[in-house]
Structures are given as structure tokens and as C-alpha cells.
Amino acid sequence: MIIAVDGPAASGKGTLTRRLAEHFGLARLDTGLLYRAVGFRIIEEGDDPEETAIAVAAAERLQASDLNNPALRGEAAASAASVVAAIPEVRATLRAFQQNFAANPPGGAPGAVLDGRDIGTVICPGADIKLFLTASPEVRAERRVKELQAKGLEAIYTRILRDLQDRDARDASRAVSPLEPAKDALVIDTSEKDADTVFETALAHITSQNN
């Protein structure tokens, strides 16, 4: 079983996919980490993530072990990720990594759940289940602030909100693989839903599709 979960940053994809992976015994891939790893490598080396040749070279050097870097959860990596993700050649380079994960789930898992921006539309258009999570920018900014503060990091709401809005604009307007729901995806607005409600909604949909 392949489950594709797409949506903007801080819409709840990570929480949902972790729970779905545990519930069904599936392998899980946060595909955003791929772009974060590429973007972070570039800025760490003092280069410009908007430079296509540099970004593609970083994507080609990506190793699975690179995804374990805790710095990838920071805002610097997130912002750089949004920039490199808009480069078609980078997306093409990382596509094989994601499709191989879905086709050959590690650990002998009976399937995989992938979360990202274009899983249901580009990476796994034939996925058994497609979900698209969304929420208002204001709600997502509040969530991100709480998440960062819980880690003891500084978080300014207005700055976080502006950053999310900028990333949303880049994700939605890029020429290749823009952020949009697959035509056959269930769209779940999580603005006023807690994690349990989102999980139950997704589970009910999956159950109905498999019957």
C-alpha cells in the first residue's frame, strides 16, 4: 500500500504520516528532508541555493544518511529547501530517490507513506491513497512558533508567518510540480482539527477505499 500525503508546511503532514506508518507498519519518508538536506549543504558551504548548477550537484551527492542531520529541522534549511525545490533539475534528480523508496520500502515493510508537495501528482500518481492537508497560514505559523519554542528556539510570529507565505507562493507558482492537490486526493483542512481528528478522518477514508 502506497499512501501519498501532500500539503504546505506545518499543515500536519508529519504528525499524520508518522501515525499512519505506525498503524499500518509502513515505511515513512518525509520527502521535504531531501530538499532541506540539499539546501542546507549549499548554504553550509557558503554557496547560493538559487544557482542551478550548484543545487543540482548537491542533489546528486545526496546520501540517505544526510537526512539524519538535526539541523535540517531548522528554519534556515527550510527556507533554502523552498528555493532549491523550485529548480526543475533538482526535482528531477531527487525523483528517482523517492520513487525507489516507494517501490522498495526499506525493512521489508508492506508499503510506504510519503509526505511532501507533489507525491500524489508526480512522484506516486498511482498511489493507493492520496491525501492533501491544508490549513490557514495564520494557524500554521502559530503551530511552527509553538514547535520552535518547545525546542528552546527563538520564534517570532510575524517573521514565521511571512516566511510561510513566501514559501507557499514559491511552491504554488513554480513551473514544475506546483503545490496542488491531486484530482483524486481527499483534502483535509486541519485549521480547526486536532491531530486525533485528522488521523481518524484519514483512517476512515483509507478504510473506505480498501473495502
Side-chain angles (χ1 to χ4, degrees), residues 63-186:
Q63 302 290 327
S65 57
D66 295 335
L67 306 183
N68 299 324
N69 186 347
L72 300 186
R73 297 295 180 182
E75 289 303 301
S79 294
S82 184
V83 174
V84 299
I87 300 174
E89 294 87 345
V90 171
R91 302 196 72 84
T93 300
L94 297 179
R95 187 179 302 142
F97 186 106
Q98 299 169 73
Q99 292 175 333
N100 181 63
F101 184 96
N104 305 284
V113 54
L114 294 84
D115 85 56
R117 301 290 196 278
D118 63 348
I119 309 304
T121 54
V122 176
I123 304 302
C124 298
D128 303 285
I129 303 294
K130 298 177 186 178
L131 305 171
F132 189 93
L133 270 55
T134 187
S136 72
E138 293 76 15
V139 168
R140 292 187 288 121
E142 290 174 2
R143 291 173 180 169
R144 184 53 53 84
V145 167
K146 291 178 181 177
E147 177 185 328
L148 293 172
Q149 289 177 338
K151 296 177 181 177
L153 302 174
E154 179 186 16
I156 300 173
Y157 173 81
T158 53
R159 186 182 300 168
I160 298 292
L161 176 60
R162 185 170 60 250
D163 182 55
L164 286 176
Q165 290 171 329
D166 289 345
R167 287 159 59 186
D168 287 350
R170 282 196 296 266
D171 288 344
S173 63
R174 62 181 177 234
V176 178
S177 306
L179 174 62
E180 60 184 5
K183 290 182 172 58
D184 52 347
L186 172 67

